[in-house]
């Protein structure tokens, strides 16, 4: 049965009081570590949304893409050309393309050196480590080293890590973790990757 308007007003007032109290309680600022994981679509595009927000404030961002087989994506065309963005593509396919574990490890370790540079740069408000989780999952990078470098970054720097199967140590140290659940994806119905949506 629909609420009458007085009941509705009271319920909304109670809700507002709870929300306002929670907002008042959250009075800290810190550089956040966010992990966006799970099998559903929306991890990297969410991270790039945070890059856009950062740029909107005139702040700087660094992006490292660890596993990427194509260079013709919308995010790189647009964000990669922004003066306040450092854009690094570090993966050249990996695993199923290269089929050479030693070469993959060397690529991963070179990539992590670039990431260490971003994590050491206090002028970067946000650092995105896109698809980093796979390098940890396959053991191409040492998770302890990665976590130590993340912990040593500037106190106010935000970091977003994306990728499926994020290891537990990363989930434990993260401030915010979202797991995107795959309910449906158009690709499985035969739709190819669409510009602006998938790449
Ligand atoms: P996006 O970059 O679109 O936010 P993502 O980072 O969550 O996606 P990835 O695993 O990095 O997901 O895959 C990137 C590409 O694969 C995108 O084109 C995306 O639409 C597609 N994709 C993501 N999840 C799925 C899925 N569950 N089934 C099929 N294709 C997917
Ligand atoms: Mg992705």
């Amino acid at each position: 049965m629909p609420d009458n308007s007085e009941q509705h007003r009271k319920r909304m007032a109670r809700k507002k009081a709870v929300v306002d109290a929670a907002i008042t309680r959250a009075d800290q600022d810190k550089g956040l570590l966010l992990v966006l994981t799970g099998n559903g679509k929306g991890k990297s595009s969410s991270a790039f949304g945070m890059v856009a927000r950062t740029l909107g404030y005139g702040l700087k961002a660094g992006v490292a893409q660890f596993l990427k087989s194509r260079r013709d994506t919308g995010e790189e065309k647009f964000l990669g050309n922004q003066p306040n963005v450092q854009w690094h593509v570090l993966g050249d396919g990996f695993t199923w393309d290269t089929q050479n574990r030693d070469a993959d490890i060397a690529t991963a370790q070179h990539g992590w050196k670039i990431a260490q540079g971003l994590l050491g740069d206090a002028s970067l408000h946000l650092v995105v480590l896109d698809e980093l989780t796979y390098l940890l999952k396959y053991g191409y990078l040492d998770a302890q080293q990665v976590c130590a470098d993340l912990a040593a970054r500037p106190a106010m720097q935000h970091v977003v890590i994306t990728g499926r199967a994020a290891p537990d140590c990363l989930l434990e140290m993260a401030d915010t973790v979202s797991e995107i659940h795959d309910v449906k994806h158009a690709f499985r119905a035969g739709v190819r990757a669409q510009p602006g949506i998938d790449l």
Side-chain angles (χ1 to χ4, degrees):
M1 218 172 96
D3 276 352
N4 70 36
S5 61
E6 181 53 18
Q7 271 175 332
H8 179 77
R9 194 196 61 74
K10 280 189 181 150
R11 190 139 51 84
M12 289 298 129
R14 278 199 301 275
K15 200 171 231 173
K16 179 168 162 35
V18 171
V19 171
D20 287 351
I23 291 171
T24 306
R25 239 183 353 258
D27 59 356
Q28 304 168 40
D29 293 309
K30 71 173 283 206
L32 298 171
L33 176 62
L34 298 91
V35 175
L36 308 179
T37 191
N39 292 337
K41 177 206 162 20
K43 301 174 291 293
S44 299
S45 43
S46 168
F48 299 135
M50 287 180 254
V51 173
R53 285 179 167 173
T54 296
L55 299 182
Y57 288 98
L59 297 166
K60 294 186 176 160
V63 176
Q65 291 194 293
F66 282 94
L67 197 152
K68 207 176 173 207
S69 50
R70 54 195 304 167
R71 298 295 306 264
D72 59 344
T73 59
E75 62 263 23
E76 187 170 350
K77 286 181 204 298
F78 185 70
L79 295 173
N81 286 327
Q82 299 297 315
N84 279 346
V85 177
Q86 282 189 46
W87 193 277
H88 300 278
V89 177
L90 305 170
D92 53 2
F94 281 110
T95 54
W96 52 89
D97 282 343
T98 63
Q99 293 158 19
N100 179 339
R101 187 172 160 84
D102 290 343
D104 286 351
I105 290 172
T107 303
Q109 286 176 353
H110 165 74
W112 189 248
K113 287 211 169 62
I114 306 281
Q116 284 173 324
L118 299 176
L119 295 171
D121 182 349
S123 78
L124 297 176
H125 181 77
L126 171 67
V127 172
V128 173
L129 304 174
D130 189 36
E131 320 296 348
L132 176 68
T133 56
Y134 302 95
L135 280 63
L136 298 169
K137 178 174 151 64
Y138 290 125
Y140 295 168
L141 292 177
D142 174 24
Q144 295 312 315
Q145 172 78 60
V146 166
C147 288
D149 291 336
L150 287 167
R153 76 190 190 277
M156 290 311 296
Q157 186 184 70
H158 303 300
V159 176
V160 183
I161 294 174
T162 77
R164 298 176 193 200
D168 287 344
C169 67
L170 216 50
L171 301 183
E172 277 155 27
M173 81 176 290
D175 299 284
T176 295
V177 177
S178 295
E179 183 166 7
I180 301 186
H181 175 63
D182 179 27
V183 177
K184 249 189 191 187
H185 195 291
F187 180 69
R188 292 198 292 276
V191 183
R192 73 184 78 177
Q194 298 293 302
I197 302 299
D198 296 297
L199 73 165

